[in-house]
Amino acid sequence: MQPQSGVLKVEISIIIVNWNGGDYLRLSLDSLAKYPPSVPFEVIVVDNNSTDNSRELLRSYKDVRLILNTENVGFGRANNQAFKVSDAPLLFLLNSDAQVHENTLDTLIATINESAKIGVVGPRLLNTDGTLQPSVWRNPPMAWEMVMIAFGLYKLLPKRQRGKRLLGYYWDHSYRLSARMLSGAALLIKRKVLEHVGGFDERFHMYGEDNEFALRVVRSGWLMLFEPKATVTHHAAKSTEKRWGKSGRLAKNYEGFFQLQRIHLSRSTALTNLLTGYGLATLRQAWLTLRRRPREENRLVRQLYGDELRKTLSTAKPTE
């Protein structure tokens, strides 16, 4: 890898936060070497105290700037560390289990520079097998959305309207769209956005920090754009499942969602979401029991909603 830094002013810092990324980290770095941007760039890797061979691997890439943490400080805080050591006007966040494709970075750069109002741009994400990985979401999720999905009411809508209203798994990600939430797996951000709204909220250790950041961005008047002409393959959740397992990762996901609600939603809206989620999980538990289907995962979801609902009801307002 030969970043075009040195004498030339770096135009884009590519930031990777890693924890035990292993072979996926290698694939990520090699993709940047194969498909670099055409502007001067640098690669910054923040390693969150990996215990595999990640650090030995990283030292073999001589042009990578390393930040070696003595503990796992989480995704948001680690990215903030990289933000502070970079002077570049553009910052590209790339998961350690993600690979850029040809022209991905140049396409994202061209898109974000089309207007001073555009602050964040995200690419089309693909799964390991080449299928679409949804990366554009409503933010924050609301009760009506949960009900429409749980009872299949979305099927009453024309397919195009369904996609535009629900996004995520219900939209084909085929055209450029202004969004309120883009996946943090691959994200190009203008430094001016960080100067305006700040970096990631470090109260979020893992999951939810990208939702929270996106809310501050769009509420501050910046545009977030999904750019389908840029592509990244994301081998999702490889590090987090190593750390927490499938159930643990699910619990962390919901904890991040609940934290987002406490910070950004009114108490009445948060309670509506929690009551809806708990009620739907209760109904689903009964249905799974009748059908003799596995229900451990749904039981965990119901428990998480119930615990958060009790906490919220016991306080005068959502706690931070």
Side-chain angles (χ1 to χ4, degrees):
M1 187 182 301
Q2 297 182 340
Q4 302 169 36
S5 54
V7 177
L8 297 175
K9 177 178 172 58
V10 171
E11 293 295 327
I12 180 171
S13 292
I14 301 168
I15 298 169
I16 298 174
V17 173
N18 177 68
W19 181 80
N20 289 350
D23 290 337
Y24 289 101
L25 174 62
R26 184 191 300 277
L27 290 173
S28 181
L29 292 170
D30 288 349
S31 76
L32 293 171
K34 185 175 182 180
Y35 302 121
S38 59
V39 299
F41 72 100
E42 65 179 351
V43 178
I44 303 173
V45 178
V46 184
D47 185 80
N48 270 334
N49 199 28
S50 292
T51 55
D52 64 355
N53 66 339
S54 289
R55 295 198 170 187
E56 291 75 13
L57 170 65
L58 287 167
R59 290 189 179 98
S60 71
Y61 289 85
K62 302 302 182 184
D63 295 309
V64 171
R65 295 179 66 182
L66 291 178
I67 298 175
L68 302 177
N69 289 327
T70 57
E71 61 178 317
N72 191 334
V73 301
F75 180 80
R77 183 176 168 190
N79 272 300
N80 288 346
Q81 288 178 285
F83 295 158
K84 290 176 182 177
V85 302
S86 166
D87 294 320
L90 295 175
L91 304 111
F92 181 61
L93 313 189
L94 184 68
N95 274 18
S96 61
D97 56 1
Q99 299 166 255
V100 300
H101 291 215
E102 186 174 6
N103 295 323
T104 292
L105 288 161
D106 284 344
T107 300
L108 292 174
I109 292 169
T111 299
I112 206 169
N113 286 331
E114 285 181 8
S115 169
K117 295 180 180 180
I118 302 173
V120 181
V121 178
R124 181 182 179 89
L125 297 184
L126 300 179
N127 294 306
T128 305
D129 62 2
T131 58
L132 175 70
Q133 183 176 120
S135 58
V136 184
W137 306 91
R138 290 184 50 80
N139 190 29
M142 303 301 282
W144 67 264
E145 177 185 358
M146 300 181 207
V147 171
M148 284 192 73
I149 292 171
F151 291 106
L153 299 177
Y154 63 87
K155 296 176 183 178
L156 300 175
L157 297 173
K159 191 171 183 180
R160 185 172 178 82
Q161 286 299 315
R162 179 191 313 170
K164 288 179 67 175
R165 287 180 179 274
L166 294 175
L167 301 174
Y169 294 101
Y170 305 93
W171 181 50
D172 64 6
H173 293 61
S174 62
Y175 54 89
R176 186 186 287 189
L177 185 73
S178 175
R180 292 179 62 86
M181 172 64 196
L182 297 170
S183 170
L187 214 54
L188 183 63
I189 306 170
K190 282 180 180 173
R191 177 167 295 281
K192 289 180 180 179
V193 171
L194 299 177
E195 293 170 350
H196 186 191
V197 308
F200 287 107
D201 187 328
E202 295 183 8
R203 287 174 290 183
F204 294 79
H205 180 79
M206 188 73 182
Y207 294 119
E209 66 284 296
D210 48 356
N211 299 69
E212 194 280 333
F213 175 72
L215 271 182
R216 280 187 283 124
V217 169
V218 297
R219 287 177 175 178
S220 297
W222 292 93
L223 285 178
M224 296 186 73
L225 284 185
F226 168 72
E227 176 52 78
K229 293 181 180 179
T231 307
V232 167
T233 294
H234 181 214
H235 310 283
K238 298 305 178 184
S239 292
T240 51
E241 285 201 1
K242 282 183 186 178
R243 185 177 183 188
W244 291 305
K246 187 176 180 180
S247 295
R249 182 169 67 87
L250 179 66
K252 290 293 180 183
N253 239 314
Y254 275 96
E255 288 170 14
F257 169 53
F258 296 149
Q259 175 82 330
L260 176 74
Q261 292 195 139
R262 294 183 210 122
I263 294 171
H264 283 290
L265 299 187
S266 68
R267 185 169 187 267
S268 61
T269 302
L271 276 172
T272 299
N273 281 354
L274 293 172
L275 286 165
T276 302
Y278 183 77
L280 291 173
T282 300
L283 289 173
R284 180 167 175 76
Q285 193 72 12
W287 183 84
L288 290 171
T289 301
L290 288 172
R291 300 293 297 272
R292 297 183 180 181
R293 300 280 183 85
R295 49 192 183 274
E296 289 75 17
E297 183 175 302
N298 187 75
R299 185 182 292 117
L300 173 60
V301 172
R302 182 174 181 270
Q303 178 186 332
L304 291 168
Y305 267 110
D307 290 345
E308 183 64 19
L309 184 56
R310 282 187 287 273
K311 290 178 187 176
T312 304
L313 287 171
S314 67
T315 58
K317 59 180 181 179
T319 57
E320 296 185 0

